Amino acid sequence: MTISNPILDTRIRTMLVDAYVSQQVLPQCSEIKLWLVEPETMRRPFSQDEIRNIQEYPAYWAFCWASGQVLAREILANPSWVKGKKVMDFGAGSGVVAVAAVMAGASEVIACDIDPDALLSCQHNAELNGTQFRLHHDLFEFDEPLDLLIAADVLYDRGNLPLLEIFRQKAQEVLVADSRVKDFDFPPYQAIGRHESFTVPDLDELDEFRWVNLYHCK
């Protein structure tokens, strides 16, 4: 029997009219499964109108980006990062890192994303994995103390780099996973690891984007 998600199917069709989501286990983090865009729907030629529509509504939440997969795996492998802490997953997308933080023993987890469809995806992925966490739509309106803020793949635009300072103001500790910024030099952030990964479904991205760097600030 095919397991479907009509609610997320409706949202993914804002990007592509024949797309739908399916349950997919993460290859590098098999403890977690997510509702992600079905790969077959992305493997055909697109018309110019479809390309334009995908660019206007890329549905980031329907993919598990390389940085998110790495950070979720590392949190599960090193639960001391989050255990007993109040954690925010900023730019949560699918909610993969929030799910991992709950599984690893965080005392409270907040998934934060400006996209309401991403928050909807987070909710469904939390349920899929038997986890629970809070949802929030705007980091700048969040005024509760945080032990740890986690951000995966949110620095794809250099205009987002000022967020690194905002993160420090919002939380006692910050973990960032990124595959886009070259020559990352933003003290007091320090590099703590480098891992090869890929997006799920795999988008055959350039090799340089398949290497995820982890940065820590305390």
Side-chain angles (χ1 to χ4, degrees), residues 159-176:
N160 289 351
L161 290 175
L163 286 170
L164 291 170
E165 180 56 33
I166 302 297
F167 296 162
R168 292 181 58 210
Q169 296 171 12
K170 292 288 185 177
Q172 307 238 346
E173 194 173 358
V174 184
L175 270 176
V176 173

Side-chain angles (χ1 to χ4, degrees), residues 189-217:
Y189 286 88
Q190 295 182 329
I192 59 170
R194 178 175 169 84
H195 306 271
E196 188 173 10
S197 188
F198 47 87
T199 296
V200 183
D202 197 343
L203 298 176
D204 294 322
E205 294 179 288
L206 296 174
D207 287 346
E208 64 180 297
F209 296 140
R210 297 171 79 92
W211 285 97
V212 176
N213 297 295
L214 298 180
Y215 305 98
H216 176 250
C217 174

Side-chain angles (χ1 to χ4, degrees), residues 134-148:
R134 290 166 55 191
L135 305 175
H136 198 274
H137 71 285
D138 190 344
L139 174 65
F140 296 94
E141 292 184 6
F142 191 85
D143 60 0
E144 302 172 28
L146 290 168
D147 298 312
L148 175 67

Side-chain angles (χ1 to χ4, degrees), residues 149-166:
L149 186 149
I150 290 170
D153 207 17
V154 301
L155 303 178
Y156 49 85
D157 185 331
R158 293 196 70 84
N160 289 351
L161 290 175
L163 286 170
L164 291 170
E165 180 56 33
I166 302 297

Side-chain angles (χ1 to χ4, degrees), residues 71-83 104 175 195 214:
L71 197 44
R73 183 187 67 193
E74 292 302 301
I75 285 172
L76 290 175
N78 302 278
S80 60
W81 282 359
V82 302
K83 191 172 181 62
L175 270 176
H195 306 271
L214 298 180

